[in-house]
Amino acid sequence: IALLAACTEQQPESRRATDTAPSQPARDSQVAWTVRPVLNAPNYFVLSDWVDDGTVWGLAGENPVDIDARTGAGTPWRIRAAGARRSPDRSALAWGDASGIWIMRRGGRPRRLLTYASLPQVPAGDPTNEVHWAPNGRRLLTSWRDEGNVTYALVDTLNGTLEPIATRLPGYGAANAHLWLDDRRIHFSAPAYARKDGSTDYVESGLRADLFVHDVGTHTYEKVTDVPDGVFLSVAGAFGDTIVAIRRSTGESLATFSLIETRTWQETPTALDRGSGIAITNDGARAGIFRSHDIMSEVIIRSRRAGQPHGAPVLLPGRITGTAWSPNGRALAISTMAEEPVAGSPNDRRARYRLSILEAL
């Protein structure tokens, strides 16, 4: 990790580009990345991820759709499935609605996996309808929210059985699920409502935020970081045995990024540019750092391997709504949304959704 971090020194900025023109080459080992708008993407499309190296998918409103990254041709799933998540093997979707948890195979029919009304004991609160797939596809993580409390539970994708899990420790608030580390371990963050010295001045967002892991095999829930007051950790993703952590301090609009090794839980700074978000390729070789704003957002592509050049910064109109690297790490898909004036009616505005593919020249 130390070697990888040494390859991330920030480079001077070069000329920037919009979503209608490629970035221009720079002097200092930065190279241009083309920005290719997918002009005929569906209305209201928000990117979720890649299906394979040639296809992305996401939600057009509440409608899941696969999109050819070259032509923009869409293949809808022909269901309404707000908040749908794709299975790790990309063959199925899972989602929740007011009646329960659903699952659907590509080309098949929706099947209600779990019916809330049939549960002998329903967790307190309302279902969030959020789901997270285990890497092997055998379980879904879902939750119920009751004011400030959240109850998480596992759903078996074969028989629909429900198993609540523990995700609360004294002094910390409701957990926020991030991802499955493997088929046993689920990663969460949670805010602390007591300072390190024991004082309990109330702050709605908490006084700091640490990371936690629930082990499905041992039924344990433990804190794996110990940040000082005023520091808030969350998780942006993972590659191999390494978590990409977002570290934000009180009052700061941009975060720093670090790597946490999941065997020792040692945190290592990356020296990457600050940003509001980050995405790293599956092999950890490239990072896309994002500075998302309502009018214009910046994308900074950084190589994390010696001999590979950085990408020149790129500007995209609107706020970033979704980002994902292709499985081979050669393309970065980004969806954005901007409120723009209506032609001929300057006092009216409409939401403009865009999908762009960034690729190295």
Side-chain angles (χ1 to χ4, degrees), residues 43 48 82 119 146 154 169 187 215 219 227 301 317 349 351 355:
N43 291 331
S48 293
L119 292 174
D146 181 25
L154 302 174
L169 287 179
H187 217 295
D215 190 307
H219 305 284
V227 297
I301 296 174
R349 305 182 74 83
L355 173 64

Side-chain angles (χ1 to χ4, degrees), residues 68-360:
D68 187 300
R70 279 287 158 195
T71 67
T75 305
W77 283 67
R78 303 191 186 283
I79 53 171
R80 294 175 67 87
R85 296 287 185 100
R86 197 97 173 212
S87 62
D89 65 3
R90 300 299 190 259
S91 67
L93 293 179
W95 69 96
D97 65 13
S99 66
I101 302 293
W102 296 77
I103 195 167
M104 179 180 174
R105 300 287 173 185
R106 194 64 162 122
R109 296 174 61 86
R111 174 173 66 94
R112 189 157 53 195
L113 184 64
L114 173 70
T115 303
Y116 297 143
S118 67
L119 292 174
Q121 185 173 358
V122 181
D126 298 319
T128 64
N129 298 329
E130 296 175 357
V131 294
H132 298 266
W133 287 87
N136 61 8
R138 282 297 311 276
R139 293 184 176 97
L140 296 170
L141 178 71
T142 191
S143 57
W144 280 256
R145 182 174 293 275
D146 181 25
E147 295 183 353
N149 296 316
V150 178
T151 300
Y152 285 93
L154 302 174
V155 181
D156 190 296
T157 57
L158 295 180
N159 56 34
T161 56
L162 186 74
E163 177 190 354
I165 63 173
T167 59
R168 198 71 179 256
L169 287 179
Y172 285 86
N176 179 37
H178 291 291
L179 51 80
W180 290 72
L181 295 172
D182 49 42
D183 294 327
R184 286 181 53 136
R185 298 178 298 164
I186 311 170
H187 217 295
F188 299 84
S189 64
Y193 290 107
R195 298 185 187 277
K196 291 283 190 174
D197 61 9
S199 60
T200 57
D201 295 341
Y202 179 75
V203 178
E204 185 175 358
S205 61
L207 300 166
R208 62 185 182 280
D210 276 301
L211 303 183
F212 299 77
V213 171
H214 178 90
D215 190 307
V216 173
T218 60
H219 305 284
T220 55
Y221 181 69
E222 63 175 339
K223 184 164 70 84
V224 295
T225 61
D226 189 21
V227 297
D229 290 334
V231 172
F232 297 80
L233 285 183
S234 59
V235 176
F239 60 94
D241 293 325
T242 303
I243 287 172
V244 183
I246 300 175
R247 173 181 276 258
R248 182 174 280 105
S249 298
T250 300
E252 292 183 343
S253 59
L254 297 179
T256 59
F257 306 105
S258 57
L259 305 178
I260 300 179
E261 206 280 324
T262 62
R263 287 166 295 189
T264 64
W265 301 110
Q266 180 177 354
E267 184 179 3
T268 304
T270 63
L272 290 168
D273 306 67
R274 287 175 174 265
S276 54
I278 187 172
I280 289 188
T281 55
N282 292 335
D283 61 0
R286 285 190 173 118
I289 299 99
F290 314 110
R291 294 174 179 172
S292 186
H293 298 280
D294 290 336
I295 298 174
M296 195 72 69
S297 294
E298 185 177 23
V299 181
I300 305 168
I301 296 174
R302 290 288 178 253
S303 170
R304 301 189 60 254
R305 288 187 177 170
Q308 290 188 356
H310 300 303
V314 171
L315 292 179
L316 297 175
R319 179 167 292 277
I320 294 173
T321 59
T323 63
W325 285 98
S326 60
N328 61 16
R330 297 175 183 172
L332 176 62
I334 301 177
S335 61
T336 58
M337 190 277 287
E339 294 286 344
E340 298 180 351
V342 177
S345 183
N347 294 326
D348 295 326
R349 305 182 74 83
R350 67 175 180 179
R352 172 77 182 276
Y353 290 76
R354 292 180 173 88
L355 173 64
S356 302
I357 307 295
L358 279 64
E359 298 166 303

Side-chain angles (χ1 to χ4, degrees), residues 15-99:
R15 186 189 307 177
R16 296 172 180 170
T18 68
D19 66 332
T20 59
S23 306
Q24 299 299 313
R27 298 185 299 272
D28 50 1
S29 81
Q30 292 183 344
V31 297
W33 280 57
T34 61
V35 182
R36 180 167 51 81
V38 182
L39 298 176
N40 55 337
N43 291 331
Y44 312 111
F45 181 78
V46 175
L47 174 73
S48 293
D49 205 346
W50 292 74
V51 181
D52 52 44
D53 288 322
T55 309
V56 299
W57 83 279
L59 294 172
E62 296 183 350
N63 305 298
V65 58
D66 295 352
I67 296 177
D68 187 300
R70 279 287 158 195
T71 67
T75 305
W77 283 67
R78 303 191 186 283
I79 53 171
R80 294 175 67 87
R85 296 287 185 100
R86 197 97 173 212
S87 62
D89 65 3
R90 300 299 190 259
S91 67
L93 293 179
W95 69 96
D97 65 13
S99 66

